Amino acid sequence: MFSRCNKLVSSQSTAQKSVWSCLRSLIKNDYATEATFESKPFKLHRLDSGPSTKSTITSDEAIEMYKQTQMIRRIETAAGNLYKEKIIRGFCHLYSGQEAVAVGMKSVMRPQDSAISAYRVHGWTYLMGVSALGVLAELTGRKSGCCRGKGGSMHMYATNFYGGNGIVGAQVPLGAGVAFANKYTENGGVCFALYGDGASNQGQVFEVYNMAKLWNLPVIFVCENNGYGMGTSTERSSASPNFYTRGDYIPGIWVDGMDILAVREATRFGIEYCTSGKGPLVMEAATYRYSGHSMSDPGTSYRTREEIQEVRQTRDPITSFKEKIINAGLVSADLLKKIDVEVKAEVDAAVKIAKSEAEIGLDELANDIYSNDLEKEIRSTTPFLFYKHNNSSGKTPINL
């Protein structure tokens, strides 16, 4: 080891970095068990103090978060390709570029915490416990999908995940309802109600701010501000683009949504705030989507390709996190390459099944409507035609 260090020192251009690398290998037995990172300052509204700008993670946590971000990116890339092949039909909204928000939040969520979001939820569905196959098969309408292929892109669910919702902004009041249930049952849970900057001007959002504060519900309203509501920039759509202040009487936090660890600390702070009985919190995560609003939107008529490329090169959440954890000695580049290969293999295998598997039969069309199977027949489009109803999946309904 010392002879290798001496050889590296002979190169003046790389001497300092190489010596440090060698010393770190000797002292720390190659890799650190944990490291602390500094994030951008948070912007605060009606708060005397905010989240810590220092975040400490272990090597195992770094590996897990890296794998999750890569899995979401791969799933979304596969979904985009399947849509172009016309195997996925209808609406399809990709999360590529926004992975840090979901992964950072999920890293500190507890078993009793829950989430509800809009229609850009493939990544969230995976994080909340559904496999890559369960997501992709749902997108292609096959029976291995998390909803047996009947929900599709915008309607996926998992334990403590109340899904994608197709109506713009409608998930926000529902999230307050979940938080009300948390408070009523005293389970200590916090609900994260996610919505975009495009939905932030919905009247129902402001209505539910009022209700949540009146009842001091344990809910964090998370505005994922990716800069564009469909094809309209925040500057053109919102008179007040500081979404973390929109709650007025509800405190708020702005966080860099491209930094996994900053989101992690903001979420940790939010959970502590809500569980202390202080009521709701608004969190704005400044992020960016690489794709268009949906697959039908090329995403380049209202922004330039150069803008997208600049974000990819300078602010990409996966690349920046990868560089951080390698430079801190938490992981090796070889290990991350191995993870990349494993993730690709898992997603590729899921794609094959999602393309070839059979769809459910028409006999399941009206199944799984009721958790308690009291109604044996479900009325169809006329009073004279009925469908048989039962629980086809054989599983216990979730979130009851």
Side-chain angles (χ1 to χ4, degrees):
M1 176 67 78
F2 281 108
S3 61
R4 178 171 174 270
C5 288
N6 289 330
K7 289 179 182 178
L8 290 170
V9 169
S10 64
S11 173
Q12 292 182 355
S13 61
T14 59
Q16 290 180 331
K17 291 183 180 178
S18 300
V19 168
W20 168 244
S21 177
C22 288
L23 288 174
R24 184 174 62 196
S25 297
L26 287 168
I27 297 170
K28 297 187 177 181
N29 192 25
D30 288 331
Y31 300 109
T33 56
E34 68 176 32
T36 300
F37 302 90
E38 186 84 19
S39 62
K40 289 181 182 178
F42 300 91
K43 298 177 186 177
L44 306 179
H45 171 67
R46 287 185 176 270
L47 287 169
D48 295 327
S49 61
S52 173
T53 56
K54 296 183 184 296
S55 183
T56 300
I57 57 171
T58 66
S59 177
D60 289 343
E61 289 171 334
I63 292 169
E64 178 66 13
M65 287 188 280
Y66 178 79
K67 179 181 178 181
Q68 290 174 336
T69 56
Q70 279 288 26
M71 182 65 78
I72 295 172
R73 184 71 61 88
R74 280 283 178 185
I75 288 173
E76 295 297 56
T77 300
N81 292 334
L82 288 168
Y83 193 94
K84 292 171 184 175
E85 294 176 44
K86 298 185 178 180
I87 295 173
I88 294 175
R89 301 284 186 142
F91 295 105
C92 186
H93 307 80
L94 304 183
Y95 203 60
S96 301
Q98 300 183 210
E99 297 91 348
V101 179
V103 173
M105 289 174 60
K106 185 62 175 66
S107 69
V108 289
M109 287 174 64
R110 306 159 303 161
Q112 66 267 43
D113 295 328
S114 54
I116 186 169
S117 189
Y119 33 73
R120 208 178 298 278
V121 290
H122 310 156
W124 266 106
T125 306
Y126 167 74
L127 290 178
M128 295 302 283
V130 175
S131 66
L133 174 59
V135 173
L136 290 167
E138 187 60 37
L139 286 166
T140 59
R142 310 305 167 107
K143 61 184 181 181
S144 288
C146 58
C147 295
R148 303 282 289 170
K150 294 197 291 184
S153 175
M154 298 194 292
H155 304 99
M156 299 183 183
Y157 307 90
T159 301
N160 282 350
F161 181 58
Y162 294 84
N165 292 265
I167 300 174
V168 176
Q171 73 278 9
V172 185
L174 296 179
V178 175
F180 182 87
N182 291 338
K183 186 171 184 177
Y184 186 81
T185 58
E186 298 181 346
N187 65 11
V190 173
C191 181
F192 295 86
L194 296 104
Y195 57 100
D197 52 285
S200 65
N201 295 320
Q202 286 275 317
Q204 57 190 329
V205 173
F206 293 94
E207 290 182 54
V208 81
Y209 282 169
N210 181 58
M211 295 174 70
K213 185 55 186 173
L214 279 173
W215 297 334
N216 275 338
L217 300 180
V219 56
I220 300 176
F221 299 108
V222 183
C223 178
E224 293 186 273
N225 178 10
N226 61 27
Y228 298 93
M230 296 188 72
T232 307
S233 66
T234 55
E235 291 76 14
R236 293 181 59 214
S237 66
S238 301
S240 173
N242 297 317
F243 300 104
Y244 70 102
T245 67
R246 287 283 194 93
D248 187 12
Y249 38 80
I250 299 176
I253 301 170
W254 178 95
V255 58
D256 179 5
M258 303 297 270
D259 183 343
I260 294 174
L261 300 180
V263 175
R264 175 183 168 94
E265 292 307 313
T267 305
R268 191 197 309 276
F269 175 89
I271 291 174
E272 292 174 357
Y273 181 91
C274 289
T275 54
S276 67
K278 296 177 182 177
L281 193 70
V282 176
M283 184 167 80
E284 175 188 350
T287 184
Y288 197 84
R289 58 168 164 81
Y290 295 147
S291 302
H293 171 72
S294 68
M295 288 301 295
S296 61
D297 167 26
T300 53
S301 60
Y302 48 86
R303 57 182 181 175
T304 63
R305 296 182 188 276
E306 289 74 20
E307 176 186 312
I308 302 169
Q309 193 60 29
E310 182 184 2
V311 176
R312 282 185 178 275
Q313 292 175 351
T314 62
R315 296 172 55 208
D316 183 77
I318 299 178
T319 303
S320 60
F321 184 67
K322 178 180 179 179
E323 291 174 354
K324 281 181 181 179
I325 59 179
I326 289 177
N327 293 337
L330 285 175
V331 295
S332 68
D334 289 340
L335 176 59
L336 298 188
K337 287 179 183 178
K338 181 181 178 182
I339 291 173
D340 293 346
V341 172
E342 292 173 351
V343 166
K344 183 179 184 300
E346 182 176 344
V347 173
D348 287 348
V351 167
K352 287 183 180 179
I353 298 174
K355 291 171 73 172
S356 61
E357 191 179 40
E359 299 176 358
I360 61 172
L362 288 176
D363 57 314
E364 288 194 36
L365 183 62
N367 286 3
D368 305 313
I369 295 174
Y370 300 108
S371 60
N372 190 2
D373 193 15
L374 298 177
E375 296 287 340
K376 299 299 181 183
E377 291 187 328
I378 304 299
R379 176 177 161 173
S380 180
T381 54
T382 74
F384 313 106
L385 180 61
F386 289 84
Y387 295 108
K388 296 291 185 183
H389 175 264
N390 58 57
N391 187 344
S392 60
S393 64
K395 299 178 181 177
T396 303
I398 60 175
N399 297 327
L400 290 179

PDB file of all heavy atoms in Angstrom, residues 71-91:
ATOM      1  N   MET A  71     -33.308   2.900  -9.428  1.00  0.00           N
ATOM      2  CA  MET A  71     -34.453   2.062  -9.781  1.00  0.00           C
ATOM      3  C   MET A  71     -35.585   2.915 -10.345  1.00  0.00           C
ATOM      4  O   MET A  71     -36.205   2.559 -11.363  1.00  0.00           O
ATOM      5  CB  MET A  71     -34.922   1.287  -8.551  1.00  0.00           C
ATOM      6  CG  MET A  71     -36.087   0.345  -8.836  1.00  0.00           C
ATOM      7  SD  MET A  71     -35.663  -1.013  -9.964  1.00  0.00           S
ATOM      8  CE  MET A  71     -34.785  -2.111  -8.851  1.00  0.00           C
ATOM      9  N   ILE A  72     -35.865   4.039  -9.709  1.00  0.00           N
ATOM     10  CA  ILE A  72     -36.924   4.919 -10.201  1.00  0.00           C
ATOM     11  C   ILE A  72     -36.585   5.431 -11.602  1.00  0.00           C
ATOM     12  O   ILE A  72     -37.432   5.424 -12.507  1.00  0.00           O
ATOM     13  CB  ILE A  72     -37.154   6.099  -9.239  1.00  0.00           C
ATOM     14  CG1 ILE A  72     -37.687   5.604  -7.899  1.00  0.00           C
ATOM     15  CG2 ILE A  72     -38.136   7.111  -9.844  1.00  0.00           C
ATOM     16  CD1 ILE A  72     -37.775   6.664  -6.827  1.00  0.00           C
ATOM     17  N   ARG A  73     -35.331   5.855 -11.804  1.00  0.00           N
ATOM     18  CA  ARG A  73     -34.915   6.364 -13.113  1.00  0.00           C
ATOM     19  C   ARG A  73     -35.064   5.273 -14.181  1.00  0.00           C
ATOM     20  O   ARG A  73     -35.523   5.544 -15.297  1.00  0.00           O
ATOM     21  CB  ARG A  73     -33.479   6.874 -13.033  1.00  0.00           C
ATOM     22  CG  ARG A  73     -32.930   7.514 -14.298  1.00  0.00           C
ATOM     23  CD  ARG A  73     -33.547   8.852 -14.607  1.00  0.00           C
ATOM     24  NE  ARG A  73     -33.348   9.866 -13.606  1.00  0.00           N
ATOM     25  CZ  ARG A  73     -32.296  10.703 -13.534  1.00  0.00           C
ATOM     26  NH1 ARG A  73     -31.321  10.620 -14.420  1.00  0.00           N
ATOM     27  NH2 ARG A  73     -32.239  11.624 -12.576  1.00  0.00           N
ATOM     28  N   ARG A  74     -34.663   4.051 -13.863  1.00  0.00           N
ATOM     29  CA  ARG A  74     -34.757   2.940 -14.813  1.00  0.00           C
ATOM     30  C   ARG A  74     -36.209   2.587 -15.123  1.00  0.00           C
ATOM     31  O   ARG A  74     -36.568   2.315 -16.265  1.00  0.00           O
ATOM     32  CB  ARG A  74     -34.035   1.708 -14.256  1.00  0.00           C
ATOM     33  CG  ARG A  74     -32.538   1.736 -14.410  1.00  0.00           C
ATOM     34  CD  ARG A  74     -32.127   1.420 -15.829  1.00  0.00           C
ATOM     35  NE  ARG A  74     -30.683   1.484 -16.000  1.00  0.00           N
ATOM     36  CZ  ARG A  74     -30.069   1.337 -17.159  1.00  0.00           C
ATOM     37  NH1 ARG A  74     -30.783   1.152 -18.258  1.00  0.00           N
ATOM     38  NH2 ARG A  74     -28.754   1.431 -17.252  1.00  0.00           N
ATOM     39  N   ILE A  75     -37.036   2.573 -14.090  1.00  0.00           N
ATOM     40  CA  ILE A  75     -38.453   2.270 -14.298  1.00  0.00           C
ATOM     41  C   ILE A  75     -39.075   3.304 -15.221  1.00  0.00           C
ATOM     42  O   ILE A  75     -39.832   2.961 -16.150  1.00  0.00           O
ATOM     43  CB  ILE A  75     -39.203   2.222 -12.949  1.00  0.00           C
ATOM     44  CG1 ILE A  75     -38.824   0.959 -12.161  1.00  0.00           C
ATOM     45  CG2 ILE A  75     -40.709   2.277 -13.157  1.00  0.00           C
ATOM     46  CD1 ILE A  75     -39.397   0.920 -10.750  1.00  0.00           C
ATOM     47  N   GLU A  76     -38.759   4.556 -14.995  1.00  0.00           N
ATOM     48  CA  GLU A  76     -39.336   5.617 -15.821  1.00  0.00           C
ATOM     49  C   GLU A  76     -38.817   5.568 -17.254  1.00  0.00           C
ATOM     50  O   GLU A  76     -39.561   5.836 -18.206  1.00  0.00           O
ATOM     51  CB  GLU A  76     -39.053   6.980 -15.190  1.00  0.00           C
ATOM     52  CG  GLU A  76     -39.726   7.195 -13.845  1.00  0.00           C
ATOM     53  CD  GLU A  76     -41.245   7.177 -13.897  1.00  0.00           C
ATOM     54  OE1 GLU A  76     -41.827   6.179 -14.378  1.00  0.00           O
ATOM     55  OE2 GLU A  76     -41.868   8.162 -13.475  1.00  0.00           O
ATOM     56  N   THR A  77     -37.548   5.241 -17.425  1.00  0.00           N
ATOM     57  CA  THR A  77     -37.002   5.086 -18.774  1.00  0.00           C
ATOM     58  C   THR A  77     -37.701   3.948 -19.499  1.00  0.00           C
ATOM     59  O   THR A  77     -38.069   4.072 -20.678  1.00  0.00           O
ATOM     60  CB  THR A  77     -35.481   4.814 -18.708  1.00  0.00           C
ATOM     61  OG1 THR A  77     -34.835   5.918 -18.061  1.00  0.00           O
ATOM     62  CG2 THR A  77     -34.902   4.649 -20.108  1.00  0.00           C
ATOM     63  N   ALA A  78     -37.913   2.850 -18.780  1.00  0.00           N
ATOM     64  CA  ALA A  78     -38.619   1.704 -19.367  1.00  0.00           C
ATOM     65  C   ALA A  78     -40.055   2.073 -19.707  1.00  0.00           C
ATOM     66  O   ALA A  78     -40.580   1.693 -20.776  1.00  0.00           O
ATOM     67  CB  ALA A  78     -38.590   0.523 -18.399  1.00  0.00           C
ATOM     68  N   ALA A  79     -40.700   2.833 -18.822  1.00  0.00           N
ATOM     69  CA  ALA A  79     -42.087   3.245 -19.076  1.00  0.00           C
ATOM     70  C   ALA A  79     -42.173   4.124 -20.314  1.00  0.00           C
ATOM     71  O   ALA A  79     -43.099   3.983 -21.139  1.00  0.00           O
ATOM     72  CB  ALA A  79     -42.622   3.995 -17.858  1.00  0.00           C
ATOM     73  N   GLY A  80     -41.227   5.030 -20.464  1.00  0.00           N
ATOM     74  CA  GLY A  80     -41.214   5.880 -21.648  1.00  0.00           C
ATOM     75  C   GLY A  80     -41.060   5.077 -22.924  1.00  0.00           C
ATOM     76  O   GLY A  80     -41.741   5.340 -23.935  1.00  0.00           O
ATOM     77  N   ASN A  81     -40.185   4.078 -22.893  1.00  0.00           N
ATOM     78  CA  ASN A  81     -39.986   3.232 -24.072  1.00  0.00           C
ATOM     79  C   ASN A  81     -41.225   2.400 -24.382  1.00  0.00           C
ATOM     80  O   ASN A  81     -41.605   2.236 -25.556  1.00  0.00           O
ATOM     81  CB  ASN A  81     -38.778   2.320 -23.866  1.00  0.00           C
ATOM     82  CG  ASN A  81     -37.470   3.090 -23.825  1.00  0.00           C
ATOM     83  OD1 ASN A  81     -37.366   4.179 -24.399  1.00  0.00           O
ATOM     84  ND2 ASN A  81     -36.465   2.545 -23.149  1.00  0.00           N
ATOM     85  N   LEU A  82     -41.863   1.864 -23.340  1.00  0.00           N
ATOM     86  CA  LEU A  82     -43.085   1.069 -23.545  1.00  0.00           C
ATOM     87  C   LEU A  82     -44.214   1.918 -24.105  1.00  0.00           C
ATOM     88  O   LEU A  82     -45.035   1.445 -24.890  1.00  0.00           O
ATOM     89  CB  LEU A  82     -43.508   0.430 -22.217  1.00  0.00           C
ATOM     90  CG  LEU A  82     -42.634  -0.717 -21.714  1.00  0.00           C
ATOM     91  CD1 LEU A  82     -42.981  -1.065 -20.261  1.00  0.00           C
ATOM     92  CD2 LEU A  82     -42.785  -1.945 -22.594  1.00  0.00           C
ATOM     93  N   TYR A  83     -44.248   3.183 -23.706  1.00  0.00           N
ATOM     94  CA  TYR A  83     -45.267   4.084 -24.244  1.00  0.00           C
ATOM     95  C   TYR A  83     -45.014   4.346 -25.720  1.00  0.00           C
ATOM     96  O   TYR A  83     -45.945   4.351 -26.539  1.00  0.00           O
ATOM     97  CB  TYR A  83     -45.266   5.401 -23.461  1.00  0.00           C
ATOM     98  CG  TYR A  83     -46.474   6.268 -23.738  1.00  0.00           C
ATOM     99  CD1 TYR A  83     -47.607   6.194 -22.920  1.00  0.00           C
ATOM    100  CD2 TYR A  83     -46.496   7.136 -24.811  1.00  0.00           C
ATOM    101  CE1 TYR A  83     -48.721   6.977 -23.165  1.00  0.00           C
ATOM    102  CE2 TYR A  83     -47.608   7.932 -25.075  1.00  0.00           C
ATOM    103  CZ  TYR A  83     -48.712   7.846 -24.244  1.00  0.00           C
ATOM    104  OH  TYR A  83     -49.822   8.622 -24.506  1.00  0.00           O
ATOM    105  N   LYS A  84     -43.770   4.554 -26.072  1.00  0.00           N
ATOM    106  CA  LYS A  84     -43.435   4.791 -27.477  1.00  0.00           C
ATOM    107  C   LYS A  84     -43.725   3.570 -28.345  1.00  0.00           C
ATOM    108  O   LYS A  84     -44.024   3.699 -29.533  1.00  0.00           O
ATOM    109  CB  LYS A  84     -41.957   5.186 -27.592  1.00  0.00           C
ATOM    110  CG  LYS A  84     -41.650   6.557 -26.987  1.00  0.00           C
ATOM    111  CD  LYS A  84     -40.158   6.822 -26.911  1.00  0.00           C
ATOM    112  CE  LYS A  84     -39.867   8.140 -26.211  1.00  0.00           C
ATOM    113  NZ  LYS A  84     -38.413   8.371 -26.012  1.00  0.00           N
ATOM    114  N   GLU A  85     -43.649   2.387 -27.738  1.00  0.00           N
ATOM    115  CA  GLU A  85     -43.980   1.153 -28.453  1.00  0.00           C
ATOM    116  C   GLU A  85     -45.490   0.914 -28.497  1.00  0.00           C
ATOM    117  O   GLU A  85     -45.944  -0.081 -29.055  1.00  0.00           O
ATOM    118  CB  GLU A  85     -43.309  -0.040 -27.770  1.00  0.00           C
ATOM    119  CG  GLU A  85     -41.791  -0.042 -27.843  1.00  0.00           C
ATOM    120  CD  GLU A  85     -41.185  -1.200 -27.067  1.00  0.00           C
ATOM    121  OE1 GLU A  85     -41.704  -2.333 -27.189  1.00  0.00           O
ATOM    122  OE2 GLU A  85     -40.207  -0.977 -26.331  1.00  0.00           O
ATOM    123  N   LYS A  86     -46.254   1.812 -27.869  1.00  0.00           N
ATOM    124  CA  LYS A  86     -47.717   1.731 -27.792  1.00  0.00           C
ATOM    125  C   LYS A  86     -48.191   0.515 -27.004  1.00  0.00           C
ATOM    126  O   LYS A  86     -49.289   0.000 -27.205  1.00  0.00           O
ATOM    127  CB  LYS A  86     -48.343   1.733 -29.193  1.00  0.00           C
ATOM    128  CG  LYS A  86     -48.056   3.010 -29.966  1.00  0.00           C
ATOM    129  CD  LYS A  86     -48.778   3.038 -31.304  1.00  0.00           C
ATOM    130  CE  LYS A  86     -48.498   4.363 -32.019  1.00  0.00           C
ATOM    131  NZ  LYS A  86     -49.189   4.429 -33.334  1.00  0.00           N
ATOM    132  N   ILE A  87     -47.346   0.075 -26.065  1.00  0.00           N
ATOM    133  CA  ILE A  87     -47.740  -1.011 -25.152  1.00  0.00           C
ATOM    134  C   ILE A  87     -48.403  -0.401 -23.925  1.00  0.00           C
ATOM    135  O   ILE A  87     -49.327  -0.979 -23.357  1.00  0.00           O
ATOM    136  CB  ILE A  87     -46.513  -1.861 -24.776  1.00  0.00           C
ATOM    137  CG1 ILE A  87     -45.977  -2.555 -26.024  1.00  0.00           C
ATOM    138  CG2 ILE A  87     -46.876  -2.892 -23.710  1.00  0.00           C
ATOM    139  CD1 ILE A  87     -44.673  -3.289 -25.822  1.00  0.00           C
ATOM    140  N   ILE A  88     -47.916   0.773 -23.501  1.00  0.00           N
ATOM    141  CA  ILE A  88     -48.620   1.558 -22.486  1.00  0.00           C
ATOM    142  C   ILE A  88     -49.495   2.557 -23.224  1.00  0.00           C
ATOM    143  O   ILE A  88     -49.044   3.243 -24.139  1.00  0.00           O
ATOM    144  CB  ILE A  88     -47.632   2.313 -21.564  1.00  0.00           C
ATOM    145  CG1 ILE A  88     -46.815   1.314 -20.739  1.00  0.00           C
ATOM    146  CG2 ILE A  88     -48.375   3.276 -20.642  1.00  0.00           C
ATOM    147  CD1 ILE A  88     -45.731   1.971 -19.897  1.00  0.00           C
ATOM    148  N   ARG A  89     -50.749   2.631 -22.831  1.00  0.00           N
ATOM    149  CA  ARG A  89     -51.697   3.542 -23.484  1.00  0.00           C
ATOM    150  C   ARG A  89     -52.211   4.576 -22.491  1.00  0.00           C
ATOM    151  O   ARG A  89     -52.050   4.439 -21.287  1.00  0.00           O
ATOM    152  CB  ARG A  89     -52.880   2.751 -24.058  1.00  0.00           C
ATOM    153  CG  ARG A  89     -52.499   1.686 -25.071  1.00  0.00           C
ATOM    154  CD  ARG A  89     -52.146   2.292 -26.403  1.00  0.00           C
ATOM    155  NE  ARG A  89     -51.911   1.290 -27.417  1.00  0.00           N
ATOM    156  CZ  ARG A  89     -52.279   1.421 -28.685  1.00  0.00           C
ATOM    157  NH1 ARG A  89     -52.911   2.510 -29.090  1.00  0.00           N
ATOM    158  NH2 ARG A  89     -51.999   0.481 -29.558  1.00  0.00           N
ATOM    159  N   GLY A  90     -52.855   5.606 -23.017  1.00  0.00           N
ATOM    160  CA  GLY A  90     -53.479   6.607 -22.154  1.00  0.00           C
ATOM    161  C   GLY A  90     -52.458   7.581 -21.593  1.00  0.00           C
ATOM    162  O   GLY A  90     -51.449   7.893 -22.225  1.00  0.00           O
ATOM    163  N   PHE A  91     -52.727   8.077 -20.394  1.00  0.00           N
ATOM    164  CA  PHE A  91     -51.843   9.063 -19.766  1.00  0.00           C
ATOM    165  C   PHE A  91     -50.635   8.378 -19.141  1.00  0.00           C
ATOM    166  O   PHE A  91     -50.736   7.281 -18.608  1.00  0.00           O
ATOM    167  CB  PHE A  91     -52.592   9.855 -18.698  1.00  0.00           C
ATOM    168  CG  PHE A  91     -53.691  10.713 -19.247  1.00  0.00           C
ATOM    169  CD1 PHE A  91     -55.021  10.345 -19.096  1.00  0.00           C
ATOM    170  CD2 PHE A  91     -53.390  11.889 -19.925  1.00  0.00           C
ATOM    171  CE1 PHE A  91     -56.037  11.142 -19.598  1.00  0.00           C
ATOM    172  CE2 PHE A  91     -54.401  12.682 -20.436  1.00  0.00           C
ATOM    173  CZ  PHE A  91     -55.722  12.314 -20.277  1.00  0.00           C
TER     174      PHE A  91
END
